[in-house]
Amino acid sequence: MADVPLGSLDAARPAVPPPETFVAGARHADPGIYDDAEADWVGWWERQAHDLAWQRVWQEPLQWDPPFARWFVGGRLNASVSCLDRHVEAGHGAQVAYHWVGEPGDRRDLTYAELAEEVGRLANVLRGLGVARGDRVAIYLPMLPQLVVAMLACARIGAPHSVVYVGFGAQALADRLVDAGAKVLITADGAHRRGEVLPLKRTADVAMGAAESVRSCLVVRRTNSDVRLMPGRDAWYDEVIGQASPICEPEPMDAEDPLFLLYTSGTTGTPKGIVHRTGGYLTHVAATHRMVFDHDPDRDVFWCAVNLGWITGHSYGVYGPLANRATSVLAEGALDHPSAERTWRIAEVDKVTTLYTTPAVIRALRAAGEDGPEAHDLSRLRLLGSVGEPIEPEVWRWYHEVVGGGRCPIVDTWWQTETGGIMLSPLPAITTVKPGSAMRPLPGLEVSVVDDDGARVERGQAGHLTVTRPWPGMLQTIWGDDERYRRTYWSRFGAEVYATGDRARVDADGDLWLLGRDDEVLKVSGYRLSSAELEAAIVDHRAVAEAAVAGRADPLAGQAIVAFVRLRPGYDRDASTVAAQLRQHVIARFGAIARPETIVIVDDLPKTRSGTIMRRLLEELAEGRTPREISALDDPDLVAHLIEATAEAAGGR
Ligand code: WTA
């Protein structure tokens, strides 16, 4: 993969120090924090862990048997107690935990006391359905308060949750239900999405038909869609909740017990169930939420404007903020629907101080132009954050100047589903930032950029980003597959070095610039999709013999999907009809996020003599470039045809 020479612009781009007014009001402004953590990094994480509510304190902070780590061994806690009960008991029951805003404009404020009560009720309902400690519960819900309630109710009874993003289709949901062996599914009748209604329950019905483990299904009423409840299996959420007691004893969990699984794409066709544990994960997300967002529960309104079905939503939309008694904003639907003005109105009305979202969202808001942030009173904003992909300098500048009025630091946070929480990021009152760089590891963490042989690269060089010491938020394993965990993350550079799968450059000052993935993983609007999974969804259509996908740089989505498809004999009909059918097929099977933007019907895929698909060549074609290196190609005559077919498909798109 070609390295984008981002770092070559270092000198041309002025670094931005933390604004003085921000520093004056900051809670974490002492640069000594780095040395302090470094002097005893395990002890430092222990100090962070003490901030949670423990039923029994750990005996040992860390057992490291590479590549398996155990954090806070012997400790006992329940995540829902740290997130709810202790705040209510301390007299903060009336504080708003979430300002919820529905897509049609309806609103609901949930206090900590109300949230705790509803969590207790649902936890009792789940226990009544036979869900015991260790059983998995799947959640397929839009951005409703009930999604947070469902996650915490699972935590309360020690049943790991598996949240599946509502953008996924029936097959993707079924695969995740089956892999996790989920006993219960919590869904809604439908979901609002850009003015339309997604038939969630109907999709869930198809998925449950293929997942025998699911014995019960609770359905939240949201869109008043016409749904069928299967007797003996399905029930309305509000009906069962109303009859349940709000008092539910929390299950005493070991620090090492799983809190949840979250599926993410890897390099193969099977999604990986990333397992996060209770004590270490909660410690990491609470500590980083405090540090990176300089959070003050009595001052801030925090808006993590991403979907909760993503790790960012789990860590900074739910667990981190609730552990720190934050008041958050939770918004259903797209931020730029019906117009981007919605975002700025919510920020103004709810007095948002901290906005954390993806470059894809920031680009969409910027592109919307009219009725932008200038038209609203955003004077409460004090800090902005970005996550999920590199942020382009011009987008950074717009975020900084127009949204933040030049007075808000921007934290560019790098991390992954697997790391649980933020790993690389500036500290807003301490770090002088370079727009486009995620800067350095947070206190207590250690990373290294290495060459193919695992040797640390010189300053000014690029290589593979690795993490060289265990950290509390690290994944425990891949659900049901320790071997895949070892192979995927801890084999490339030895069992003690975590391979992130990302490339990065270290600049002359030692700051880090992310250069994208090392493997065949695409990022579409912030979502991670594996080429293999997409290809499997396309090949699944009866007309297709073979398919390969590549990413094309897209000004809004970051990457757009270009699919190269060879049809089976007898299916060489009109290319645009086939393309339309294939697109529908992929959406139905995999979900709208996987929609191929361009479908190129080809006579054959470019392969080497040994039959390997030449992905780099497809990437060049997808980008509209003329392939350079074609000597390895088995059939050199194919190139002219591929160029022509790609141009034609791109034109007709
Ligand atoms: C990419 C997202 C550049 C990276 C929390 C990583 C980033 C993948 C950044 C993980 C950033 C995330 N700058 N690239 N600030 N943050 N990435 O698991 O390639 O959905 O490996 O978790 O997103 O994606 P995931």
Side-chain angles (χ1 to χ4, degrees):
M1 181 191 297
D3 288 342
V4 185
L6 277 175
S8 61
L9 297 170
D10 297 354
R13 236 183 266 157
V16 184
E20 266 165 45
T21 46
F22 182 87
V23 179
R27 296 187 111 199
H28 302 273
D30 178 6
I33 189 173
Y34 287 95
D35 288 343
D36 193 26
E38 215 37 44
D40 171 13
W41 60 273
V42 176
W44 192 79
W45 282 119
E46 282 189 277
R47 296 215 295 281
Q48 307 306 316
H50 276 300
D51 206 75
L52 302 175
W54 293 84
Q55 196 174 340
R56 189 176 77 194
V57 170
W58 56 95
Q59 280 120 33
E60 237 188 297
L62 170 65
Q63 284 175 4
W64 180 217
D65 178 14
F68 294 95
R70 305 183 68 215
W71 279 91
F72 308 116
V73 184
R76 206 173 272 166
L77 77 168
N78 184 290
S80 73
V81 173
S82 281
C83 290
L84 303 171
D85 306 49
R86 63 164 168 166
H87 305 319
V88 176
E89 280 158 23
H92 299 290
Q95 183 185 327
V96 172
Y98 290 99
H99 295 295
W100 175 78
V101 192
E103 186 183 275
D106 43 344
R107 278 182 163 265
R108 179 180 168 196
D109 278 354
L110 257 101
T111 65
Y112 272 92
E114 287 165 342
L115 191 57
E117 240 190 69
E118 194 162 328
V119 166
R121 286 181 201 277
L122 181 60
N124 281 323
V125 168
L126 291 173
R127 275 203 180 131
L129 290 172
V131 179
R133 176 191 184 118
D135 288 341
R136 279 78 56 209
V137 173
I139 304 172
Y140 184 59
L141 280 175
M143 295 277 281
L144 303 175
Q146 289 88 342
L147 172 49
V148 179
V149 171
M151 291 167 74
L152 293 166
C154 290
R156 189 126 191 122
I157 61 170
H161 54 71
S162 164
V163 179
V164 180
Y165 170 53
V166 293
F168 280 121
Q171 185 66 44
L173 174 59
D175 290 347
R176 284 155 178 77
L177 292 174
V178 170
D179 189 82
K183 226 175 183 178
V184 173
L185 174 65
I186 305 175
T187 187
D189 50 356
H192 292 292
R193 184 76 200 161
R194 294 191 177 277
E196 286 175 27
V197 171
L198 293 183
L200 277 200
K201 175 61 164 61
R202 251 188 285 146
T203 307
D205 282 338
V206 176
M208 284 190 284
E212 279 173 15
S213 62
V214 181
R215 295 202 302 231
S216 317
C217 175
L218 298 178
V219 187
V220 174
R221 253 184 261 263
R222 175 60 182 146
T223 52
N224 289 321
S225 305
D226 188 19
V227 301
R228 247 183 323 132
L229 297 193
M230 188 200 273
R233 185 191 71 185
D234 304 348
W236 289 110
Y237 174 99
D238 51 358
E239 285 174 11
V240 289
I241 281 284
Q243 294 158 9
S245 157
I247 314 286
C248 176
E249 272 308 302
E251 192 76 26
M253 304 304 285
D254 284 336
E256 275 294 302
D257 280 331
L259 177 60
F260 64 83
L261 339 180
L262 185 60
Y263 283 86
T264 190
S265 294
T267 42
T268 70
T270 337
K272 304 178 282 199
I274 303 299
V275 183
H276 282 294
R277 61 193 107 209
T278 308
Y281 170 82
L282 207 57
T283 298
H284 189 127
V285 299
T288 51
H289 175 256
R290 281 194 296 275
M291 276 190 289
V292 175
F293 300 106
D294 190 53
H295 189 259
D296 180 340
D298 299 314
R299 171 195 62 200
D300 289 325
V301 176
F302 186 72
W303 189 5
C304 174
V306 307
N307 197 283
L308 295 189
W310 188 30
I311 189 68
T312 308
H314 281 53
S315 302
Y316 301 103
V318 179
Y319 288 110
L322 290 179
N324 292 330
R325 185 172 55 82
T327 294
S328 290
V329 170
L330 187 66
E332 182 191 35
L335 288 192
D336 58 350
H337 178 86
S339 81
E341 196 263 340
R342 173 183 193 221
T343 301
W344 313 122
R345 191 158 23 92
I346 293 173
E348 176 175 345
V349 170
D350 290 316
K351 303 184 170 58
V352 171
T353 61
T354 317
L355 176 63
Y356 184 40
T357 190
T358 65
V361 168
I362 304 166
R363 287 191 294 260
L365 293 172
R366 177 174 179 246
E370 278 161 57
D371 246 349
E374 307 92 329
H376 292 267
D377 176 10
L378 302 182
S379 57
R380 297 281 183 135
L381 270 184
R382 64 185 294 274
L383 178 59
L384 302 169
S386 173
V387 56
E389 42 176 331
I391 179 165
E392 299 85 348
E394 63 281 11
V395 178
W396 193 99
R397 256 189 300 272
W398 181 80
Y399 202 28
H400 189 250
E401 300 309 318
V402 181
V403 181
R407 61 177 197 282
C408 308
I410 296 183
V411 286
D412 181 351
T413 64
W414 177 93
W415 56 294
Q416 308 179 299
T417 305
E418 292 86 343
T419 69
I422 299 171
M423 301 294 278
L424 307 177
S425 169
L427 287 181
I430 299 173
T431 317
T432 290
V433 301
K434 300 169 186 170
S437 165
M439 302 304 291
R440 303 226 167 170
L442 290 175
L445 303 173
E446 187 183 72
V447 305
S448 179
V449 177
V450 301
D451 64 18
D452 288 348
D453 301 321
R456 185 184 280 266
V457 303
E458 302 282 324
R459 290 195 170 181
Q461 302 292 307
H464 312 279
L465 179 66
T466 64
V467 185
T468 43
R469 103 179 20 146
W471 66 100
M474 67 194 275
L475 73 166
Q476 190 177 43
T477 187
I478 293 175
W479 180 253
D481 202 343
D482 284 352
E483 188 39 43
R484 190 174 177 198
Y485 165 75
R486 184 193 299 274
R487 200 173 57 238
T488 309
Y489 306 110
W490 307 90
S491 63
R492 177 102 204 250
F493 306 108
E496 293 184 35
V497 177
Y498 172 82
T500 66
D502 273 21
R503 289 180 62 77
R505 202 183 76 89
V506 193
D507 71 13
D509 305 318
D511 297 320
L512 297 163
W513 300 77
L514 275 304
L515 302 172
R517 298 287 303 181
D518 231 357
D519 51 18
E520 280 143 23
V521 171
L522 278 74
K523 270 265 170 170
V524 180
S525 295
Y527 285 94
R528 234 166 105 171
L529 300 167
S530 85
S531 312
E533 248 176 313
L534 293 169
E535 286 158 10
I538 298 170
V539 172
D540 179 64
H541 190 276
R542 58 187 147 59
V544 178
E546 205 177 17
V549 304
R552 181 176 68 68
D554 181 88
L556 283 180
Q559 280 190 303
I561 301 167
V562 181
F564 296 88
V565 178
R566 179 166 66 82
L567 298 176
R568 290 180 30 189
Y571 278 100
D572 49 347
R573 280 167 298 151
D574 169 41
S576 64
T577 316
V578 179
Q581 281 177 6
L582 277 180
R583 221 170 255 134
Q584 267 330 99
H585 179 76
V586 173
I587 292 170
R589 213 191 125 92
F590 202 97
I593 40 168
R595 179 184 186 277
E597 194 208 42
T598 309
I599 295 183
V600 189
I601 308 289
V602 296
D603 295 345
D604 204 358
L605 291 173
K607 297 197 181 118
T608 61
R609 269 152 228 125
S610 57
T612 316
I613 293 179
M614 294 180 63
R615 292 190 172 273
R616 188 164 306 188
L617 195 149
L618 291 177
E619 275 167 26
E620 289 178 309
L621 286 168
E623 291 285 6
R625 293 196 300 265
T626 306
R628 287 167 297 163
E629 193 39 57
I630 56 166
S631 57
L633 195 60
D634 184 36
D635 172 12
D637 296 340
L638 193 60
V639 173
H641 159 70
L642 290 174
I643 294 174
E644 191 185 327
T646 309
E648 203 171 294
R653 147 178 106 226

